[in-house]
Amino acid sequence: MPSIFSYQSAEVDWCEGNFERSTIIAEYYNTVNGTPLFSFLLLPPLNFLVLDGAGTSQGLCEDGALLTQAVLAGIFSVYFHMTLSYVGQLLDELSILWTLAVAYSFWYPKVYFPRCIKSRKHFFWLSGVTTVISTLMSFIKPAFNAYVLNCIAFHLLYLTWCELKKCNDKRVHRMAAAMVVWWVLAISSWISDRWLCGLWQAINFPYFHSFWHVLIAMSLLYCCPLVIYFDVNYEMPSFKPKLGYWPSDSWPVVVPYVALEEPHKQC
């Protein structure tokens, strides 16, 4: 039996041809495009650090946890596509699982807690236990993990829809629409690479998984400020969040962010 660290020992092999452009990188474009995924994942959590600078967020430990998971997700994605090893596959998928677990634990709105959960601390432990069990189950059929992780997006879309019904800010609705558009393009690329690989190989264009990396990162770039916006509304009622774009709204390529406006207090 091949070592679990061996090249091409993973259960999944994406559509891109292996070792066509390098003798040490199995999937060249999927590996290279893991780098912008890593970079994009670092940008949204920096919003939390900005809020910490204002002394208003829940703590640097939460921001550090999300930043650490973002770094690991990027590194493991690069490692997996470079080697296509079994260990790389597990690290890639489980790093995403744990990133989602961290985000849910810290920023899932309390109004959506199950009735049996009475505090954030209890929800944190529930998320931790669920994630550990999911991690152990992931070893049974790793190839199934990616489908399950993608399905979590539907829950996130449902939560976004619930929050948008309460919000009249047109800028929030526009940002949510942009997030959904990028996600639809991303999931379409992912499904195309998995289910239509023969077609793309026939026309010599098997690169849709590398598109997935960039497109899902763009979707997250809009998703994370929305999460921050809703979190501020729930956890920091004395502040008014405002969505913005850096460096300017008029630029074709922008980085969304959240600014805080402290309302004037009445005497």
Side-chain angles (χ1 to χ4, degrees):
M1 292 181 63
S3 168
I4 58 176
F5 292 95
S6 298
Y7 272 67
Q8 296 180 281
S9 58
E11 290 187 353
V12 175
D13 191 352
W14 301 98
C15 197
E16 182 182 353
N18 299 331
F19 302 105
E20 292 184 345
R21 290 169 176 79
S22 173
T23 57
I24 61 173
I25 299 177
E27 296 175 340
Y28 182 81
Y29 287 108
N30 286 347
T31 301
V32 170
N33 279 351
T35 304
L37 173 62
F38 163 60
S39 301
F40 277 124
L41 284 172
L42 285 179
L43 290 175
L46 293 179
N47 278 281
F48 288 107
L49 293 180
V50 172
L51 298 186
D52 272 321
T56 56
S57 81
Q58 299 177 31
L60 284 171
C61 62
E62 299 176 6
D63 306 333
L66 186 60
L67 284 168
T68 300
Q69 290 299 132
V71 170
L72 292 177
I75 292 174
F76 292 149
S77 175
V78 170
Y79 173 69
F80 169 50
H81 291 292
M82 184 178 72
T83 64
L84 289 178
S85 65
Y86 182 81
V87 167
Q89 178 185 347
L90 287 176
L91 289 175
D92 179 41
E93 294 166 349
L94 294 179
S95 65
I96 297 173
L97 172 65
W98 281 85
T99 300
L100 289 171
V102 170
Y104 266 77
S105 297
F106 290 135
W107 297 296
Y108 190 74
K110 293 180 182 179
V111 294
Y112 300 116
F113 281 3
R115 292 183 179 180
C116 59
I117 301 299
K118 304 301 182 182
S119 67
R120 175 71 61 182
K121 182 178 180 180
H122 291 162
F123 184 75
F124 179 86
W125 282 105
L126 174 63
S127 300
V129 171
T130 303
T131 304
V132 170
I133 294 174
S134 300
T135 299
L136 296 176
M137 293 180 63
S138 297
F139 288 88
I140 299 175
K141 186 62 177 177
F144 188 65
N145 295 346
Y147 292 93
V148 175
L149 291 173
N150 277 313
C151 286
I152 296 176
F154 291 104
H155 184 243
L156 294 174
L157 291 174
Y158 170 74
L159 290 176
T160 301
W161 177 70
C162 291
E163 290 300 316
L164 290 178
K165 290 194 299 181
K166 310 174 189 176
C167 178
N168 296 320
D169 190 329
K170 293 182 178 179
R171 179 164 290 217
V172 175
H173 284 258
R174 287 199 300 269
M175 187 171 289
M179 176 195 73
V180 172
V181 169
W182 285 113
W183 177 80
V184 170
L185 292 173
I187 196 64
S188 298
S189 297
W190 191 90
I191 292 174
S192 295
D193 189 272
R194 291 255 30 109
W195 295 357
L196 300 175
C197 180
L199 171 63
W200 307 130
Q201 288 181 339
I203 63 176
N204 197 31
F205 196 79
Y207 307 119
F208 277 88
H209 190 76
S210 63
F211 292 167
W212 149 262
H213 282 170
V214 176
L215 293 170
I216 195 62
M218 289 299 299
S219 181
L220 290 172
L221 197 62
Y222 288 89
C223 176
C224 289
L226 282 175
V227 172
I228 299 170
Y229 180 91
F230 297 135
D231 183 66
V232 170
N233 279 330
Y234 282 115
E235 303 295 335
M236 309 174 200
S238 61
F239 286 85
K240 180 181 178 181
K242 181 180 179 181
L243 293 176
Y245 298 95
W246 181 88
S248 171
D249 290 13
S250 61
W251 282 46
V253 180
V254 295
V255 176
Y257 67 91
V258 177
L260 296 184
E261 296 179 352
E262 188 172 8
H264 295 291
K265 296 181 180 180
Q266 300 294 330
C267 295

